[in-house]
Amino acid sequence: MWLIALPLAGAAILLLGGRATDAWGHLLGCATIAAAFVWGVVQFVDLLGRAPEDRVIDQRLFSWVPVAELHVDFGLQLDALSVCFVLLITGVGLLIHLYSIGYMAHDPDRRRFFAYLNLFVAAMLLLVLADNYLGLYVGWEGVGLASYLLIGFWSHKPSAATAAKKAFVVNRVGDIGLAVALMVMFADAGTLSYAGVFAAAPELSSGTVTAIGLLLLLAACGKSAQVPLQSWLGDAMEGPTPVSALIHAATMVTAGVYLIVRSGPVFNLAPVAQTAVVTVGAVTLLFGAIIGCAKDDIKKALAASTMSQIGYMVLAAGLGPAGYAIAIMHLLAHGFFKAGLFLGAGSVMHGMNDETDMRRYGGLRKLMPVTFATFGLGYLAIIGVPPFAGFFSKDAIIETAFAAGGLKGLILGGAALLGAGITAFYMTRVMILTFFGERRFTPDTHPHESPAVMAWPMIILAVGSIGAGGALAIGGTLTHWLEPVVGTHETHHVIPAWAMTVITLAVVAVGVGIAYRSYATRRVPDIAPADVSALTVAARADLYGDAFNEGAFMRPGRQLTEDLVIIDEKGVDGVASGLAAAVAGASRRMRTMQTGFARSYALSMLAGTALVLGAVLIVRVW
């Protein structure tokens, strides 16, 4: 409980305390996350001292929803899977909080920024610590709210306000999937607890289990920016750079991967849903990589990279028990090197007067040596150069994808291998445009290294980029740790590991070579050339993701709304209005018959009596 309570208390104090907390708000924000990290380490050590089958800490706080047949306790569960996320969220989150002290030093609303960061961390911890899907849903919505507040933190900029609304709306589409999945679980399994749903899943029909799996995948697509709900991630870079590092590299975008892995017992029983997961992952990893090749904005290039790397994780998670642990391994390694890359991008922007266009950088390695070194280590990790973190996790995903066998393995493995080559290309492009070549910035720009409070978090994350992969992979450390949650699985590789490593490194080398030839040996124009291929034009437009959503969903939805309004106005309202008009007209005509003369009324009564008697006589004669 303290893991969630500490950052939540920090957010409450900073938000309710107002301007009175401005002087020390950033320090309180960092202190609460530091305390949560220390408590997380203590809990991790406790789990380490237990037998594998006993590595679960359950805490029931109170009865939350005791309504008729629906009984949901507000409970928390710390196990081998959730503790990995706790350490990632609080550890990397603490470094980003410290970095933010320097990055946001001159912002008048820095205290409010740290309050939102604390609120986000509290919601993310609830998401991964809940012992049931309803608790997860509350945390899920909490990180959505916090991300909206952080992306739109500089809401005086129309672009930031628009980006925040876009992220909020797109994520609501995915959230509907999670909400409906909860309804199906309760209707068919009678419970929302993980243990209850997983125990009931084998007794459910294949159609029901598949429906739950597909709905959970829809939710994961929204939070993790996977096709077709990926369009919000690039625009979300309008928020302050620490937001990109925390939310869009290390934590929130990995929530979808957590949801799939946590729901493994459901997906294991739903082959159709698993196929949908690997398809989404394979498409997205290539989708994001291609977009990353055409972005000149350094943060948007890294955002596209995040989309692609999450695609690798989703692909691995879709491979079932063979890929669950590998997906988490890449998730943890990615948390280090991608957060470091984003903080490095923020450091470059800090020294370049907030310029984000890489075509106006160049030659920064000598002017910003610490940023260059830390960013460079993250670069080597993400492209998968041994012995850096990405080498162990990404190679394992490629090998496991090929091990799926048959045409499926060939397609998935080929997509993952191609993605590795494209990743090497666009990340080498980022390195060359930013740190090498001639200086292309204006004379009034004076690049300088970031202060120590920003540099040290980058250094620590760079160290993680070097050693995290080996620490998690060598000897199957992480795989054995996660066995109580994700189970065990024997993988039979169709290609020897050493051969797969050689092939992957060769593909990576080709990607690096093409990028070097394209950008290091030629002059880089200040403005991106217009005479480019159709694929480049499409990549610059995010492969028309927004255009597709507008054409496939927004316009038809708006037309449907307009048609429903017409039906409502002309149909429902027309019938009601017509009936009222008919009654009013009849009333007006009947009112003319009321003359007030007794002789007229007597005559009417006589006529009526005559009509009745005549009718009676006719009936009797007949």
Side-chain angles (χ1 to χ4, degrees):
M1 182 180 72
W2 287 108
L3 287 169
I4 302 171
L6 286 166
L8 188 60
I13 292 172
L14 295 179
L15 289 174
L16 299 177
R19 293 294 180 185
T21 64
D22 278 356
W24 44 268
H26 56 289
L27 300 178
L28 176 64
C30 293
T32 57
I33 303 303
F37 174 66
V38 170
W39 186 243
V41 172
V42 170
Q43 298 300 306
F44 173 62
V45 173
D46 182 14
L47 291 181
L48 275 176
R50 302 184 179 202
E53 64 277 4
D54 192 38
R55 286 175 180 159
V56 181
I57 300 176
D58 290 310
Q59 186 176 32
R60 178 184 178 277
L61 300 180
F62 55 86
S63 181
W64 185 14
V65 186
V67 180
E69 296 180 359
L70 179 60
H71 297 274
V72 181
D73 293 332
F74 193 94
L76 304 177
Q77 174 180 295
L78 186 72
D79 59 14
L81 176 60
S82 57
V83 77
C84 293
F85 281 84
V86 166
L87 296 178
L88 176 69
I89 295 164
T90 57
V92 175
L94 174 59
L95 295 175
I96 294 170
H97 274 68
L98 294 172
Y99 177 96
S100 299
I101 293 177
Y103 191 87
M104 302 293 289
H106 303 294
D107 195 296
D109 289 321
R110 180 171 66 169
R111 179 262 316 164
R112 181 165 58 89
F113 180 77
F114 275 86
Y116 291 163
L117 286 182
N118 271 207
L119 179 62
F120 172 83
V121 171
M124 190 69 198
L125 287 171
L126 174 59
L127 190 158
V128 300
L129 287 172
D131 68 350
N132 62 82
Y133 281 101
L134 188 57
L136 178 146
Y137 184 77
V138 174
W140 194 271
E141 294 300 323
V143 295
L145 171 62
S147 66
Y148 168 78
L149 296 172
L150 287 166
I151 294 169
F153 183 75
W154 289 325
S155 56
H156 59 276
K157 297 165 52 180
S159 57
T162 300
K165 288 187 290 185
K166 182 177 182 179
F168 192 82
V169 170
V170 174
N171 272 273
R172 295 292 73 71
V173 177
D175 294 354
I176 291 174
L178 182 55
V180 176
L182 266 62
M183 297 175 193
V184 176
M185 290 175 190
F186 172 64
D188 290 88
T191 179
L192 295 177
S193 69
Y194 295 145
V197 172
F198 300 158
E203 306 301 324
L204 301 178
S205 68
S206 60
T208 300
V209 177
T210 299
I212 293 174
L214 292 176
L215 289 168
L216 294 177
L217 173 60
L218 177 61
C221 287
K223 272 292 182 288
S224 295
Q226 299 292 284
V227 173
L229 300 179
Q230 82 292 341
S231 61
W232 64 271
L233 189 60
D235 297 80
M237 297 302 105
E238 290 291 338
T241 301
V243 175
S244 303
L246 179 63
I247 295 179
H248 309 128
T251 54
M252 189 186 89
V253 292
T254 63
V257 181
Y258 170 80
L259 178 63
I260 295 172
V261 174
R262 174 62 76 186
S263 305
V266 174
F267 283 96
N268 294 341
L269 298 171
V272 173
Q274 278 190 328
T275 300
V277 172
V278 294
T279 301
V280 166
V283 170
T284 306
L285 76 86
L286 294 176
F287 202 94
I290 292 171
I291 292 174
C293 295
K295 293 298 181 183
D296 293 327
D297 185 308
I298 188 170
K299 288 177 65 177
K300 290 191 175 183
L302 293 178
S305 172
T306 297
M307 186 194 309
S308 179
Q309 296 304 306
I310 301 295
Y312 273 101
M313 301 173 206
V314 172
L315 169 61
L319 294 172
Y324 291 144
I326 298 172
I328 299 302
M329 184 195 305
H330 194 54
L331 184 154
L332 297 175
H334 179 265
F336 283 100
F337 61 69
K338 183 54 69 63
L341 289 170
F342 266 116
L343 294 189
S347 180
V348 170
M349 292 168 58
H350 180 79
M352 291 289 293
N353 299 333
D354 289 329
E355 177 62 66
T356 61
D357 191 339
M358 294 183 292
R359 293 182 179 275
R360 297 185 176 91
Y361 291 165
L364 295 181
R365 69 184 187 282
K366 295 181 179 179
L367 301 173
M368 306 179 71
V370 174
T371 301
F372 166 64
T374 56
F375 196 97
L377 292 173
Y379 156 73
L380 293 174
I382 193 173
I383 68 173
V385 173
F388 295 91
F391 164 74
F392 296 95
S393 55
K394 189 182 292 184
D395 269 34
I397 293 174
I398 296 173
E399 292 172 9
T400 307
F402 275 111
L407 182 60
K408 176 182 177 181
L410 185 62
I411 293 174
L412 296 178
L417 187 61
L418 177 60
I422 301 176
T423 300
F425 172 83
Y426 70 72
M427 285 306 305
T428 303
R429 175 178 180 267
V430 170
M431 283 294 296
I432 293 173
L433 290 180
T434 303
F435 296 104
F436 293 90
E438 60 182 9
R439 300 176 182 180
R440 300 181 297 278
F441 43 86
T442 57
D444 61 339
T445 302
H446 305 286
H448 55 277
E449 192 57 85
S450 297
V453 72
M454 295 172 63
W456 276 107
M458 293 191 297
I459 292 171
I460 296 172
L461 288 170
V463 172
S465 298
I466 298 172
L472 296 171
I474 294 176
T477 304
L478 184 66
T479 301
H480 294 315
W481 172 258
L482 292 175
E483 280 180 358
V485 179
V486 303
T488 59
H489 186 272
E490 191 73 24
T491 302
H492 301 284
H493 295 295
V494 295
I495 302 175
W498 66 266
M500 197 69 254
T501 297
V502 171
I503 294 172
T504 302
L505 290 178
V507 172
V508 168
V510 170
V512 172
I514 295 174
Y516 180 84
R517 180 175 179 274
S518 300
Y519 296 97
T521 62
R522 303 173 184 175
R523 180 183 174 277
V524 178
D526 295 337
I527 300 176
D531 55 336
V532 293
S533 67
L535 180 59
T536 301
V537 173
R540 288 175 180 173
D542 296 336
L543 296 182
Y544 306 114
D546 285 333
F548 174 79
N549 289 338
E550 181 177 352
F553 303 108
M554 190 276 286
R555 288 182 179 174
R558 185 172 61 184
Q559 186 62 50
L560 176 61
T561 302
E562 292 174 354
D563 293 341
L564 290 175
V565 169
I566 293 174
I567 293 173
D568 182 64
E569 292 178 347
K570 304 296 185 182
V572 178
D573 289 352
V575 170
S577 300
L579 181 60
V583 172
S587 298
R588 284 194 300 269
R589 292 178 177 84
M590 291 178 67
R591 190 165 59 243
T592 60
M593 301 173 62
Q594 306 300 315
T595 63
F597 294 110
R599 60 179 178 273
S600 298
Y601 298 152
L603 180 61
S604 299
M605 293 170 64
L606 179 60
T609 302
L611 288 174
V612 171
L613 291 174
V616 171
L617 290 173
I618 292 172
V619 170
R620 294 190 66 179
V621 171
W622 182 263

